[in-house]
Each structure stands twice: as structure tokens, then as C-alpha cells.
Amino acid sequence: MSPGFRNLHPGVVSHGVDKMNQNTPTTTDIRRFGYYIPKPTGTMDIVVHGRVASEKNLTEFHEVISVIFKLQPIIFSFNVVERNYQELTDSIQELRSQLDNSLATNAEPISLIMDRNILIIQKISNFLSSATAFLAQTETQLRNVYKKGSPELNAWNEKRHKIHADNFSYFFLYELRNFNQHCSLPFSSLNIAGERVSENASMLFNINTMILRDGLFNIGFTWGEKNTKRILEQAAPEFELLPLIPEYFHFLSQLCLDAVQLQSVQLAGCASYFDVLHRTLKIPAGAVPVIYIGESTSKETPPSRREIIPMMQFKYLLREYSKLINMCETAL
């Protein structure tokens, strides 16, 4: 796939022009490709290519880059889940470190544990809520892109439902979000135990977020007969929450990857298109590629409006796509 304007040549070149007002009205909507280079002084060097982009060129351009805006909502939603997961992991590690320091400094550990308990509740609640939001938002985005009842949407939902049916961690944490949102805290107690492997060894702390299974059912929350039966059958009378979270995150990563891979052909096409465009325009390092809109008022003045070509957004998507692939392969 090519942008269709391999013979573009520089038209107006202006150095040191002040930042442009993108909302200035123009008398025409002709468009030319080009770029600008921001300067530390707040000005910019500008290149506007001479050939006017045809309607066919512009239609192809917007069709190719549409993959970026189809996938961005999915990736951004998953990024929120990922950040909440990392913050939860970090908060656990920070608590272990602070407990170690409390022994060395004779600090009062009870107030520390109470404060960390609240923080861990916050981080788990954030993670569960963002996970549910990601699943709902991704389904909505796929429905918008492929339409209700499409093979793509159906395949993604079937995968999600199978994971829910086959894996207690996914099932329980998905349902726990509703319990946490509408009824009570996400775990029953924060248990901290320290032990030494030998008399002269340092104290090692274990941190456990425990759930009392029967306590889930006597607090007034309606789990539903099917969910209640599954929890009673698959959960121990007392079980730990934290080990379930990495498993849940792995399944969410896989579902995000599956959603993105539905557009893998379009991603490859966009990469090829931008490669040709970059070479055609001879875009230097640090420059921002744009489409200039309207005519220049003089040879020394560039068009007053521009549309940024989303090459940076595309690079971000590719980086996140590659990261998802590595995460899912590593987890296996």
C-alpha cells in the first residue's frame, strides 16, 4: 500500500515562523502534506509540499489511519488496568519493605499496617473496577467496529465466556467487583506473619489478603444461585485473594491481545503506508508530520490550519501490541 504521492516536492519553506492558529478560517479546503520542526524558542521550521493532495489520496489516508482510532480506546482502557495492577503489586512490595524497616528502627507497626491495609483495599478496588470497565468498553468498541452479531465480536465474546467458565480466578474476581462495589470490602482480613529461617536471620514477612468464604453469603449480597454454588464447590472455607489477581490479569491481557489482533492486517497496512509516507516526505528526526489545510497568504507564510498525521499514536499502538504479545507468551 502506498500513499499515492511519491513525486511530492517541497513548495513553501519558512523558518522561524510563530506557532499557527489551527482554527483560522480559510477560503478553501485544499490539503498538502508536510511537516514542522518545533524550536526551543517557541517557533518552528515548516515545510509544505507543493502538490495538492487529491481526494483519492485523502480518502486512502483516512481509511488507512482509521485502525489507530479503532484500537486506541481498547489499548487505553487496558493501560488503566495495567497501571492499577502494577500499583497494587508495588503497594504489597512497599509494605514488606516498610515492615522490614520498622524492625530496624523500632517504629510502631500497627499504625503502618492499618494505613497499608486501606491502601491495599484501594488498589484492589481500583484494579477490579478497571478490569470490568475494560471488558465492557472493549465489547462496546468491537460492536461499534464490527456490528452486533458479527463473527469478530462473537468470537471474542465466546473466548471471554469460556475463560469465565473454565477459570475460578477470572470468574471470582469478575463477580467480586460487584460485591466490592455494592456491598463490602474485597477481602475479609489482612494477615501479616513474620518468621526467621534461623536464629540470626532477618525476619521475613508474608502478607495475605484472606477471604472467609461463608462471609460472602451472610452480609446481604445476592450472588445468585449459580455463582453461590460455584464458589461453595471451588473455594476453600478460607482462601487467599492475592494469588488470583495475576491469573486474572493474564486473562485480561490475552483478551486485549485477541481484540487487537482482529486488526492485525490493518496494522501492517498502516505500518507500510507510514513507511512510504515518511520516506516520500523526507521527514527529519524530531519533525511532526502534518497535513496543511488551505492556501498560504504569501510565500513566507504557511497555511494557518493543520491536521497532525498520527504517526506517534501509531508507534505507541505498535509498542503496546508488542508488549501484549510478550506478556502473553511469557505467562504461558
Side-chain angles (χ1 to χ4, degrees):
M1 184 180 295
S2 97
F5 30 84
R6 293 178 178 275
N7 297 320
L8 292 179
H9 56 279
V12 177
V13 181
S14 180
H15 298 282
V17 178
D18 289 337
K19 292 182 178 179
M20 298 181 291
N21 178 2
Q22 299 185 47
N23 298 317
T24 304
T26 57
T27 57
T28 177
D29 283 334
I30 66 168
R31 284 162 167 79
R32 294 181 173 90
F33 286 80
Y35 58 85
Y36 66 87
I37 304 173
K39 297 291 185 179
T41 59
T43 62
M44 59 182 72
D45 288 346
I46 291 171
V47 171
V48 183
H49 286 251
R51 179 176 294 179
V52 174
S54 69
E55 184 176 346
K56 180 180 178 181
N57 292 157
L58 294 171
T59 298
E60 181 188 23
F61 168 77
H62 286 105
E63 180 180 342
V64 169
I65 69 169
S66 67
V67 65
I68 299 171
F69 305 106
K70 290 173 182 176
L71 293 181
Q72 259 187 179
I74 296 173
I75 291 292
F76 287 172
S77 183
F78 180 76
N79 287 157
V80 176
V81 179
E82 186 178 24
R83 290 189 182 189
N84 283 328
Y85 175 74
Q86 189 59 54
E87 287 181 7
L88 171 58
T89 302
D90 292 344
S91 69
I92 299 295
Q93 295 300 326
E94 184 179 355
L95 175 55
R96 288 196 179 98
S97 175
Q98 289 176 329
L99 287 169
D100 291 339
N101 292 334
S102 71
L103 293 177
T105 60
N106 293 319
E108 173 56 57
I110 301 302
S111 59
L112 168 65
I113 292 171
M114 291 178 64
D115 180 70
R116 291 292 105 180
N117 185 48
I118 294 170
L119 181 64
I120 292 171
I121 290 170
Q122 175 195 341
K123 300 304 182 184
I124 291 176
S125 299
N126 289 346
F127 172 71
L128 295 176
S129 294
S130 63
T132 300
F134 160 72
L135 293 167
Q137 291 166 11
T138 298
E139 182 181 21
T140 298
Q141 184 65 8
L142 294 179
R143 186 184 301 113
N144 290 339
V145 172
Y146 299 106
K147 307 306 178 187
K148 184 178 179 180
S150 63
E152 294 86 355
L153 177 59
N154 288 344
W156 188 83
N157 270 328
E158 286 171 9
K159 174 74 171 289
R160 178 163 66 111
H161 295 153
K162 188 176 189 307
I163 292 173
H164 188 280
D166 293 347
N167 299 275
F168 180 78
S169 59
Y170 182 102
F171 151 75
F172 182 72
L173 292 184
Y174 181 82
E175 302 298 338
L176 184 64
R177 178 265 173 189
N178 292 328
F179 176 84
N180 180 211
Q181 184 82 13
H182 302 292
C183 186
S184 188
L185 301 177
F187 56 87
S188 307
S189 64
L190 179 67
N191 293 355
I192 298 175
E195 62 178 354
R196 290 185 174 92
V197 295
S198 65
E199 184 177 350
N200 297 322
S202 299
M203 185 80 75
L204 299 177
F205 286 95
N206 292 317
I207 301 171
N208 300 310
T209 52
M210 304 306 299
I211 294 179
L212 300 177
R213 185 190 63 193
D214 294 345
L216 298 170
F217 307 116
N218 60 17
I219 198 171
F221 182 74
T222 303
W223 287 89
E225 182 178 351
K226 185 177 179 182
N227 289 343
T228 299
K229 180 180 179 182
R230 184 170 180 183
I231 293 171
L232 289 172
E233 289 177 349
Q234 297 184 2
E238 187 176 10
F239 63 99
E240 226 242 295
L241 175 62
L242 287 180
L244 303 179
I245 291 176
E247 295 179 18
Y248 189 35
F249 180 69
H250 164 68
F251 292 127
L252 296 172
S253 303
Q254 185 61 61
L255 287 169
C256 184
L257 178 60
D258 290 347
V260 173
Q261 285 181 327
L262 291 171
Q263 292 279 319
S264 59
V265 173
Q266 290 82 355
L267 282 170
C270 190
S272 175
Y273 183 95
F274 277 162
D275 181 63
V276 173
L277 184 62
H278 200 279
R279 287 186 284 107
T280 300
L281 297 180
K282 298 181 175 61
I283 301 172
V288 179
V290 296
I291 296 176
Y292 289 100
I293 305 171
E295 289 283 15
S296 303
T297 56
S298 71
K299 289 185 177 181
E300 297 303 319
T301 305
S304 59
R305 292 187 294 156
R306 61 176 179 265
E307 172 187 341
I308 293 178
I309 298 172
M311 286 187 178
M312 291 304 297
Q313 292 96 315
F314 182 69
K315 288 180 180 179
Y316 180 82
L317 284 182
L318 288 186
R319 186 173 71 247
E320 293 301 302
Y321 182 28
S322 177
K323 187 169 73 174
L324 277 169
I325 293 172
N326 291 333
M327 285 168 57
C328 293
E329 288 179 347
T330 302
L332 296 177

